[in-house]
Each structure stands twice: as C-alpha cells, then as structure tokens.
C-alpha cells in the first residue's frame, strides 16, 4: 500500500509539488515537442519483476502529464543486473528524450564499487528524472527452511539463491557473509527474483537477500499473507515501520567491525534511490524538464496512487534533482570506505 512521505522527506515532496506546478509554466511550444511521438521506457529487469511492475504502473499514467500526450511503451532489456539497459541508454539510445530507463540501484553504484563497470558508463552523467520509492531490502527464507531467524545463519549453513553478478541478490549475500559472519552458501545464476522464488518453493535454496520488500509484497503477496516466508532481517539506513511492527531486525547490530558498518552503509545507501528513472546523458534541458515534471506529477496523482495500491507497490517519491544530488554525493565518498565496500561485495 502506498506509504505517506515521512517527515524527513517532506522537503522532497515539496520539491515534487513545485515540479508538478511547473507544468503550468511550460511554454506552449513544449506541447509540440512530444506531440505524435513515442517514448520507449526501458526496464532493466525481467517481465513480472518488481521493477517491471513499477514501470508498467507508472507508464499507464505518465503520458497524461507530458504536453503532447506521447505514447509510452515499456520494453524489457534485462541482463547484467540492469547493466545492459544502462549501457544502451548511455551509449546507444537517442539523446532526444524519446528513450528513458528504469534500472536497479546497483547499476548506479556499480562503477563506484566495481572497477570493471567504469569503462561502460558514468552514472553521474545520466540525467535522473525521479525515484518512485525509498527502498528497504530484506533477507528471507521459505517457511519450510530450518532458517527461521537471522541468528540461525550465524550458526548453520543456509543456501541462498542469487542472480548474475551486479544484482543486489548476489552482492548482498557476499556483503552480509563477510560483515556479519553469516554462513551463507551462494547459488548464483538465476535469471531473476521470480526464478529464485520458484527455487525456494522447490527446496533448491533456503532463501535470498537483497530483495526489495515491495517486490516481495507485489510478487508473492500470498507468502506474506500466509506466513509462507520468514523475513530474517531488513537492510536499510532507517527501520521500515511495517517491518519494525513485525519485529524484523535491522542488519546493523549484526555487523561486528566499525569500518565494515561504514562500508555497509555506503552499499545500502543505494536503496534511497529506490526505483530510479533516468534519461541518457546529452538530452537537452527542455525534454529533461518536461519529463521530471511529468514524473513528479504522476507519482503524486490520485489515480496513479490508487493504481499503485492495486498493484501492491509502495510509493515514496524523490525528485530527479534530489536523486542527481545523491548520486554525486555517493561518488564523493572517502576512498577507504569505497575500497572496503568493494571487498565486502566481492565473491
């Protein structure tokens, strides 16, 4: 169910309202910019995954807030933890505002924490349009597993499923294994979270980490309702109220070393990006402004929020400007913290 913005994010909401109001100030010629055009909305994840559900819900409303009412078409381009979609946006997509993307936060952090990603794209040069949610990620196990609490993985082995390199389900397992001493055994290579869910049902793996809480609720609402899943821990900078009421602990107290806590905070700070939407570098200011205002208006629209509730997705938006600022701050992190974070997510 959509969450009201917390007091700490009231400024972001005010920014969003200001951006929405700016639609009224858009020059008349702005309507001509997108009139009769199509916007390709690339999703760097599989059909039916959490990021796909968010993008398709947004796409049903976005055009109403873009002067000229273009057609918005969602296209999936999964691969490399959204790296394939990000690389396409950065290097191949037209720089005219006709192609936008929805990518995993890990792809924004990738070049900071993975040297191999630096030659492919520079996340600080993307033009961020909005984020739909301030995400909380969880570690879970299937109800049939002997792993019922996070304390259990400190004393017994747990087989955990993950996607390919670059995805949060893999990085978070490595991070928590090293920072907390969790006895995780990683089984990687699953196509996405939907396949890991099936592996959990078949008993191939105990569970997974790095999964967005909203994705669990939207993809497997029956698991949450019927208590078919154990929620072992929440990874976030501030406790998520719903999970706190359920008694799900934050991961911080399980981290043993102060420097590791700083590194883990850097890694999970990507979650503040939640569901980031972006345009390629080089797109002119006019279409970027139109798109930012359209996302801001959409993410606060009553009809959209009702649709989001039906889709079981949470909405806690951030403006494109705020996301842009956050990315720049992340890339200004002290080198020692960055280097330790790199070590934590390495296999």
């Amino acid at each position: 169910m959509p969450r009201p913005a917390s007091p700490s994010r009231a400024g972001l909401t005010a920014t969003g309202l200001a951006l929405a109001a700016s639609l009224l100030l858009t020059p008349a010629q702005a309507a001509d910019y997108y009139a009769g055009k199509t916007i390709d909305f690339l999703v760097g994840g599989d059909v039916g995954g959490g990021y796909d559900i968010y993008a398709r819900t947004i796409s049903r409303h976005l055009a109403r807030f873009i002067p000229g009412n273009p057609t918005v078409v969602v296209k999936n381009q999964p691969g490399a933890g959204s790296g394939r979609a990000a690389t396409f946006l950065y290097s191949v997509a037209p720089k005219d505002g006709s192609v936008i993307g929805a990518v995993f936060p890990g792809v924004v952090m990738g070049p900071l924490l993975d040297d191999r990603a630096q030659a492919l794209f520079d996340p600080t040069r993307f033009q961020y349009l909005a984020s739909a949610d301030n995400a909380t990620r969880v570690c879970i196990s299937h109800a049939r597993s002997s792993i019922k609490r996070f304390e259990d993985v400190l004393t017994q082995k747990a087989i955990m499923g993950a996607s390919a390199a670059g995805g949060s389900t893999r990085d978070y397992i490595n991070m928590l294994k090293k920072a907390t001493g969790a006895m995780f055994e990683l089984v990687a290579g699953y196509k996405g979270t939907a396949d890991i869910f099936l592996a959990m049902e078949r008993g191939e793996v105990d569970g997974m980490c790095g999964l967005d809480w909203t994705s669990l609720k939207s993809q497997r609402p029956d698991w949450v309702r019927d208590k078919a899943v154990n929620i072992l821990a929440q990874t976030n900078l501030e406790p998520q109220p719903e999970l706190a009421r359920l008694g799900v602990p934050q991961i911080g107290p399980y981290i043993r070393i102060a420097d590791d806590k700083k590194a883990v905070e850097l890694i999970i700070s990507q979650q503040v990006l939640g569901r980031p939407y972006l345009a390629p570098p080089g797109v002119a200011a006019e279409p970027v402004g139109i798109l930012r205002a359209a996302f801001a208006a959409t993410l606060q629209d009553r009809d959209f929020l009702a649709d989001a509730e039906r889709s079981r997705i949470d909405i806690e938006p951030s403006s494109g400007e705020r996301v842009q600022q956050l990315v720049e701050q992340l890339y200004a992190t002290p080198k020692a913290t960055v280097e330790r974070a790199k070590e934590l997510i390495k296999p």
Side-chain angles (χ1 to χ4, degrees), residues 150-235:
F150 194 82
E151 285 84 354
D152 294 336
V153 302
L154 301 178
T155 59
Q156 59 181 295
K157 183 175 72 173
I159 300 173
M160 306 297 275
S163 60
S168 62
T169 53
R170 180 166 175 167
D171 288 349
Y172 277 48
I173 289 292
N174 292 326
M175 173 185 77
L176 296 175
K177 184 175 181 178
K178 295 177 182 178
T180 70
M183 299 174 66
F184 287 141
E185 182 174 316
L186 180 65
V187 178
Y190 289 99
K191 189 175 181 182
T193 55
D195 287 342
I196 304 173
F197 287 140
L198 291 174
M200 290 170 63
E201 290 177 325
R202 292 192 294 258
E204 295 174 4
V205 299
D206 288 293
M208 74 173 106
C209 291
L211 171 70
D212 286 336
W213 170 232
T214 53
S215 293
L216 177 62
K217 292 195 295 181
S218 61
Q219 293 179 260
R220 287 292 189 277
D222 54 321
W223 281 17
V224 178
R225 182 193 66 226
D226 300 336
K227 295 182 169 46
V229 62
N230 304 304
I231 306 169
L232 308 177
Q234 52 176 311
T235 56

Side-chain angles (χ1 to χ4, degrees), residues 114-152:
D114 183 353
D115 295 333
R116 295 170 300 177
Q118 289 181 349
L120 300 178
F121 51 84
D122 177 357
T124 64
R125 293 189 59 210
F126 284 118
Q127 304 196 73
Y128 295 90
L129 307 175
S131 176
D133 191 29
N134 180 1
T136 285
R137 288 175 173 165
V138 292
C139 279
I140 63 172
S141 66
H142 197 275
R144 289 195 300 268
S145 169
S146 63
I147 304 298
K148 306 296 183 184
R149 305 179 306 155
F150 194 82
E151 285 84 354
D152 294 336

Side-chain angles (χ1 to χ4, degrees), residues 30-99:
D32 297 330
Y33 189 89
Y34 278 110
K37 293 183 179 179
T38 296
I39 296 176
D40 287 341
F41 195 166
L42 300 185
V43 180
D46 291 306
V47 174
Y51 285 79
D52 181 68
I53 293 171
Y54 268 82
R56 291 181 187 276
T57 306
I58 291 170
S59 72
R60 292 195 286 268
H61 301 267
L62 187 64
R64 290 192 284 119
F65 299 99
I66 300 177
N69 297 112
T71 301
V72 179
V73 179
V74 176
K75 297 182 177 180
N76 293 80
Q77 196 173 58
S82 283
R84 182 183 172 206
T87 301
F88 179 87
L89 283 165
Y90 193 84
S91 303
V92 180
K95 307 299 189 286
D96 58 2
S98 65
V99 181

